Amino acid sequence: MYPVAVLVERALNDLDADQLVALHEALDDTVTYHLILPVESSSTALASSLSALGAGEIAPPVAPGVVLDAADEVRRQGAAELESSATLLRARGQQVVALLTEDDPVDELVRVVASEKAAEAIILTEPHFVKEFFGLDWSARAKRALDVPTLHLIEHVPFDGQA
């Protein structure tokens, strides 16, 4: 068995799934992808909402009588994205363990790598130029915390388009 911890920022698409599988095609061992998708906790969501309001963004109107629980909606959407991603990998014959987390994404990745004795970690995100410049992005933080090979890929971008 060859466990791989994969931290994703949002749902995988077909290209992402194909590229993940292609990275491990030559292995004789069975690969198990431990797919981690973080969702914002209530306090993080509140902070994001307040900063969005400060930036002049307005939330869409809600129909009268409808009560929204933002935390439940975030978890529901996250669970749907995680299952969609797991389904793409399973459709390619891969073993997948899917984990939705409200904890710090890098802390959760470190935990999964340790508990599953992962051979490597892969992080798929959209570009975050400022965070990357200052070494505050998930990939830089994970590389400092992990003792396994760690690969950062830009989601939804083919290998030949990766910077």
Side-chain angles (χ1 to χ4, degrees), residues 42-131:
S42 301
S43 59
T44 311
L46 178 60
S48 295
S49 297
L50 291 175
S51 66
L53 287 173
E57 296 178 26
I58 304 295
V62 176
V66 174
V67 177
L68 294 179
D69 183 344
D72 284 344
E73 178 58 23
V74 166
R75 279 191 288 288
R76 186 197 63 71
Q77 184 178 10
E81 288 183 19
L82 184 61
E83 184 53 35
S84 166
S85 299
T87 298
L88 285 174
L89 290 170
R90 288 182 185 123
R92 287 156 175 79
Q94 304 304 304
Q95 293 184 2
V96 180
V97 176
L99 174 66
L100 195 66
T101 184
E102 291 184 25
D103 294 334
D104 177 272
V106 174
D107 290 345
E108 190 64 24
L109 178 66
V110 169
R111 188 195 67 72
V112 168
V113 166
S115 68
E116 301 303 327
K117 296 181 178 31
E120 63 183 82
I122 300 172
I123 302 166
L124 279 94
T125 67
E126 61 186 38
H128 296 282
F129 300 112
V130 173
K131 285 183 178 181

Side-chain angles (χ1 to χ4, degrees), residues 24 41 64 117-118 157:
H24 304 101
S41 65
K117 296 181 178 31
V157 175

Side-chain angles (χ1 to χ4, degrees), residues 147-162:
D147 290 327
V148 298
T150 304
L151 175 64
H152 181 215
L153 296 174
I154 304 301
E155 60 191 11
H156 311 334
V157 175
F159 284 145
D160 60 359
Q162 302 278 334

